[in-house]
Amino acid sequence: MSHDYQAIAARILENIGGAGNIRQAAHCLTRLRIALHDESKVNGDALRQVALVKGHFSNAGVFQIVIGAGDVDRVYAEMVKQGSVARATIADVKASGDAKQNRLQQLVKVFSDVFMPILPAIVIAGLLMGANNLLGAKGMFIADKSLLDAYPGLSGLWGLINMMANTSFVFLPALVGWSAAKRFGGSEILGIVLGLLLVHPDLLNAWNYGKAAAGLDGASVPYFDLFGLHIEKVGYQGQILPILAAAWVMCRVELWLRPRVPNAVQLLVVPIVTIAVSGFLALAVIGPLARHLGIAVTDALVYVFNLAPWLGAALFGALYAPLVLTGMHHMFIAVDLQLIASQGGTFIWPMIALSNIAQGSAALAMFWLARNANDKNMASTSAVSAFFGITEPAMFGVNLRHKLPFYAALAGSACAAVLISLGHVKASAIGVGGLPAFISIIPQYIPLFLAGMLVALIVPFGLTWLLARRQLATAAQAEAAQHA
């Protein structure tokens, strides 16, 4: 089917406030990404009626219009031609959008930029750890036995998968160091080195540090003696805040040195001084402070949920999706990883997975209720995406557009979160935040988590069917009366 891209581009320009309202514009595989001077000039309802437009939303100061693969580049080309808009890269548009954000939004953006590139490694590790949990769980498949007990030949496979799963978590500071250095404008290889320094085998891991600090078996915490200054030999395996802060300091040191060191000796002086200064500060100051801060934050969170688990869960279940709209949800990755490192599991990630499922369920209900092919296509693909952990298409393209499905999803998410929190459900790792999420749940909690999944599927679907069906019928009657 051929489309009039010239007319489509003209209507898009008209409904986003004209070419004069565009600061910069680019496109990715499926979406137009536009930094606007004034987003209040956007006519959202009219924009959704434009051919090929499947939805639109604003995130991190960038207005995005969902077009679809294959068509988006043609629409973009016509927009550039008609509006005399200078071509830009996605990075340019993102930078332009960042400039419009407040301090809190910029902080959240930092977390997003650092964690998104390494998320695949964390998710894969979580799935592998979940598979290992199933192999080693007693009573999951065989009464009073694990699969390893029943089939000892699986022990080699279990050990291999366990090593693969642990790699991303053991060397997590190196991954964060690389991504943070890239985000803060420093040398990525130095970021990796700094991250590996914090997990060096000569430093105690959390288990051995706990034994040494408690004085078990006569052990004590070793330290570096630097002219009377004692620096504990403690590692930061699986921890986020120490390497994140240390990488920022490292980049500040490196960026300060570069213009001040002659080119002839830059390669010799800059890396050595950067690692020496930032490494010392990381082990002596940043690491201990960040470790205690991380422990305080997680302890406070655990205290709130222990004090009133149903209330904390209801609030989190209802508020997580709105946080996704602002981009603030990326901050919970750090909290999840901190909980896993210090508590042996996270109670937050299971609620996140259920929130994603709830958004997908509401979108699925809209698929059954939709009356035209375009709406059905958008709802079905968005539901599948949400069921596998990516909720933005469902929220921006379907649920928020009709409002009631979004509220139904929040209600379902809150109900499901309360259910699993009362049972103290935890995940041993971060996995795929949707229907496959049960793989990463600690085995003893899987049955209750599956019950939570049913609630997250049934409640949003039922509420959307009841409420949105009436809303759509009323809208159809009004439209028919208008054309009568």
Side-chain angles (χ1 to χ4, degrees), residues 15-28:
N15 290 304
I16 62 173
N21 195 32
I22 297 176
R23 299 173 68 186
Q24 287 185 314
H27 73 88
C28 61

Side-chain angles (χ1 to χ4, degrees), residues 72-321:
V72 67
D73 53 342
R74 294 180 175 88
V75 174
Y76 176 74
E78 282 295 333
M79 282 182 58
V80 169
K81 181 180 177 181
Q82 293 180 31
S84 299
V85 178
R87 289 181 178 268
T89 65
I90 293 177
D92 293 333
V93 176
K94 287 176 66 177
S96 184
D98 290 348
K100 298 171 62 179
Q101 296 179 304
N102 59 39
R103 293 286 186 181
L104 178 59
Q105 290 173 322
Q106 290 175 1
L107 177 62
V108 172
K109 185 67 165 51
V110 168
F111 274 84
S112 174
D113 290 344
V114 169
F115 287 111
M116 288 308 290
I118 65 174
L119 202 54
I122 295 174
V123 169
I124 291 300
L127 291 175
L128 291 173
M129 192 171 290
N132 250 20
N133 288 341
L134 294 178
L135 288 174
K138 288 185 180 294
M140 178 61 67
F141 302 103
I142 303 171
D144 300 323
K145 284 186 176 181
S146 69
L147 289 176
L148 288 175
D149 295 331
Y151 305 101
L154 292 175
S155 60
L157 175 64
W158 182 88
L160 180 61
I161 295 176
N162 192 54
M163 184 178 70
M164 292 178 179
N166 284 333
T167 298
S168 292
F169 291 109
V170 170
F171 298 104
L172 185 61
L175 299 178
V176 176
W178 163 76
S179 188
K182 183 177 181 180
R183 170 60 178 80
F184 298 138
S187 171
E188 296 162 31
I189 192 65
L190 293 184
I192 295 173
V193 171
L194 185 62
L196 291 174
L197 172 67
L198 296 182
V199 295
H200 194 283
D202 285 352
L203 303 177
L204 294 180
N205 59 32
W207 172 253
N208 289 327
Y209 174 72
K211 290 171 59 179
L216 298 179
D217 301 325
S220 61
V221 179
Y223 56 84
F224 297 102
D225 187 348
L226 299 181
F227 309 106
L229 175 64
H230 292 178
I231 302 174
E232 290 184 337
K233 293 184 177 181
V234 180
Y236 298 91
Q237 293 83 356
Q239 297 191 40
I240 296 297
L241 292 180
I243 181 57
L244 197 59
W248 182 84
V249 170
M250 183 204 80
C251 292
R252 300 282 71 75
V253 172
E254 183 184 3
L255 293 174
W256 186 86
L257 287 172
R258 280 181 189 170
R260 292 170 173 82
V261 175
N263 290 337
V265 292
Q266 268 213 10
L267 188 59
L268 177 66
V269 174
V270 173
I272 293 176
V273 175
T274 298
I275 289 297
V277 173
S278 59
F280 169 77
L281 292 174
L283 293 173
V285 181
I286 298 170
L289 287 176
R291 181 175 71 236
H292 291 302
L293 176 61
I295 291 172
V297 170
T298 54
D299 285 349
L301 204 57
V302 170
Y303 175 79
V304 170
F305 271 80
N306 286 339
L307 187 66
W310 65 270
L311 179 60
L315 289 173
F316 188 91
L319 295 177
Y320 179 75

